[in-house]
Amino acid sequence: MKIIFISWAPYCSRSDNIAKKLGGKSYLVYYGMLGSNYWTIFFKYLFQFIKTYKIFLKERPDIILTMSPPIFAALPAYFWTRFNPAGFIIDAHTGAIIDKRLGRRALFLHKFLSKYAITTIVTNEHLKSIINSWNCHATIISDVPVEFKNSAPLKLKPGFTITLINSFAIDEPIETFLAAAERLSKINFYVTGDLNDARRNKKTITPAPPNVLFTDFLPNDEYTGLLKASDAVMVITLDDHTMQRGGYEAVSLQKPLIISNWEILRKTFYKGAVFIDNTSEGIEKGILKMKENIEKYKVEVIELKKDRAQIWNNAQQRLELLMSEYLEKRTCPQGVGTKGDEN
């Protein structure tokens, strides 16, 4: 099978790692200079559609995986597979299905395309039930082992250090975190994320406590170096049913994790993690708990990494079987079912 993964995004480690694990190629197709406002989005998507189709003409893929959002990235895959003996899979992030700001306005298109997809990949049972309610096939892949190629050694401030993996998204309560950090002056905090996004999403990050340093956007090697040099990693979200890529990255580097107390996150990061309420008091309490029991969580996160690797291996086998069966039946379209549940 010749497999490619198309993401209409400037970067996506999940797409890159899934493609690599399946023996395929990952392509990032993104015209960021056009922005995402109502006046330019049509032209942005049109140019991305054309570039994506050119990739198909060059690669002649058997299987195409597409990241959603935006669900429009699956349109060229749909057209390609209508006229070529190939199939496509949608990798649906949480926002593509349940986030009113991102996905719900285009949900009708998601339903249509999922009916023609081999399967729609989701991260949890809740999202899977939604896809199944459309009478479409769904496959759960909660996480993919993250592989970091290089890291730049960083010298951080002396003392206990926590890195908050952050993108200044609407669901990330950065102001609440800063209120907690101000009361923990003996702990050093590094906060990742493009500061332009903070301004764009009207996040209040100044004045910041002296023990908090905003890194701005970091190249991959410096980002990896920062996580490796930290004692623990934190990721927080206000939205339920939202998987946290930063959590996978922490586990891959065997770093204990402080994370929001949602059911999906408790089920995924069941070792080596402290779960917190999304309040300044809850964040403060969780940080102190991590600091006091850091050695215990270091041992547990190593165990969790092994567990998650086996879970991925099982998911990969299911996905490869689906793709193989589809390609075997592609000469008989009426025999290829997209309805129902995963085995």
Side-chain angles (χ1 to χ4, degrees):
M1 289 183 290
K2 190 166 190 178
I3 300 170
I4 64 172
F5 202 130
I6 299 291
S7 304
W8 282 9
Y11 51 85
C12 184
S13 61
R14 176 178 168 90
S15 300
D16 293 342
N17 281 280
I18 289 178
K20 183 175 181 180
K21 292 292 183 181
L22 295 176
K25 295 181 181 179
S26 178
Y27 287 92
L28 301 174
V29 179
Y30 192 69
Y31 286 89
M33 74 290 292
L34 291 176
S36 298
N37 59 63
Y38 288 110
W39 303 107
T40 61
I41 196 70
F42 171 79
F43 297 101
K44 179 180 180 180
Y45 284 177
L46 176 61
F47 294 153
Q48 289 175 180
F49 184 107
I50 294 170
K51 184 174 182 180
T52 299
Y53 218 82
K54 286 181 178 179
I55 293 172
F56 296 164
L57 291 171
K58 174 185 175 184
E59 295 287 350
R60 314 296 300 187
D62 299 305
I63 300 291
I64 303 163
L65 290 93
T66 62
M67 185 190 82
S68 176
I71 187 56
F72 298 94
L75 275 175
Y78 165 77
F79 285 110
W80 176 262
T81 57
R82 292 308 92 197
F83 301 104
N84 293 276
F88 73 98
I89 293 171
I90 301 171
D91 182 32
H93 296 198
T94 306
I97 300 172
I98 65 175
D99 192 327
K100 294 179 181 179
R101 300 179 298 267
L102 293 175
R104 289 201 168 182
R105 286 173 293 185
L107 206 57
F108 72 95
L109 182 59
H110 215 306
K111 292 179 181 179
F112 172 79
L113 292 172
S114 287
K115 290 184 183 298
Y116 289 91
I118 299 172
T119 190
T120 297
I121 298 172
V122 292
T123 58
N124 59 75
E125 288 286 349
H126 177 72
L127 299 181
K128 177 171 170 287
S129 67
I130 294 175
I131 301 297
N132 290 160
S133 72
W134 303 343
N135 205 25
C136 300
H137 192 283
T139 300
I140 295 177
I141 297 182
S142 56
D143 59 344
V144 183
V146 181
E147 296 182 8
F148 293 94
K149 296 180 180 178
N150 302 300
S151 65
L154 298 182
K155 186 176 181 180
L156 307 184
K157 294 179 182 179
F160 194 82
T161 300
I162 294 174
T163 292
L164 173 65
I165 297 178
N166 172 74
S167 61
F168 299 107
I170 297 174
D171 69 304
E172 296 172 329
I174 185 67
E175 297 90 350
T176 305
F177 160 77
L178 291 174
E182 189 172 15
R183 299 193 292 269
L184 299 168
S185 59
K186 295 183 179 180
I187 298 177
N188 301 316
F189 297 96
Y190 290 79
V191 182
T192 66
D194 191 330
L195 294 176
N196 289 324
D197 290 333
R199 290 186 283 272
R200 188 159 36 245
N201 292 327
K202 299 179 181 179
K203 295 287 186 175
T204 303
I205 61 175
T206 56
N211 60 326
V212 176
L213 175 66
F214 289 93
T215 67
D216 206 349
F217 180 81
L218 292 174
N220 284 337
D221 58 342
E222 293 183 23
Y223 174 76
T224 306
L226 174 62
L227 297 188
K228 283 186 174 181
S230 302
D231 293 290
V233 170
M234 177 185 295
V235 287
I236 47 180
T237 177
L238 296 173
D239 291 348
D240 196 1
H241 309 298
T242 301
M243 188 53 71
Q244 293 292 284
R245 185 66 180 168
Y248 308 152
E249 294 171 344
V251 173
S252 294
L253 293 173
Q254 300 180 167
K255 290 296 174 180
L257 184 62
I258 303 168
I259 196 164
S260 295
N261 188 25
W262 295 112
E263 182 180 3
I264 181 179
L265 302 177
R266 291 196 305 271
K267 288 183 176 179
T268 303
F269 304 105
Y270 46 85
K271 295 178 183 176
V274 173
F275 298 97
I276 57 174
D277 296 329
N278 293 317
T279 63
S280 61
E281 293 80 10
I283 293 172
E284 179 183 6
K285 183 179 178 181
I287 291 169
L288 292 175
K289 183 178 180 181
M290 174 61 73
K291 186 174 184 295
E292 292 167 3
N293 301 277
I294 186 65
E295 296 304 322
K296 167 180 175 289
Y297 292 117
K298 283 182 179 179
V299 173
E300 289 184 355
V301 78
I302 294 173
E303 298 172 356
L304 180 62
K305 181 179 180 180
K306 295 177 181 178
D307 292 350
R308 299 311 304 179
Q310 185 56 53
I311 291 170
W312 157 253
N313 288 337
N314 295 337
Q316 180 177 349
Q317 290 174 11
R318 293 197 304 272
L319 191 59
E320 289 175 338
L321 180 60
L322 279 173
M323 294 188 296
S324 297
E325 290 178 342
Y326 178 88
L327 291 179
E328 288 176 2
K329 298 176 182 177
R330 64 186 177 182
T331 56
C332 182
Q334 68 272 19
V336 180
T338 59
K339 300 179 181 180
D341 207 349
E342 69 174 338
N343 293 328

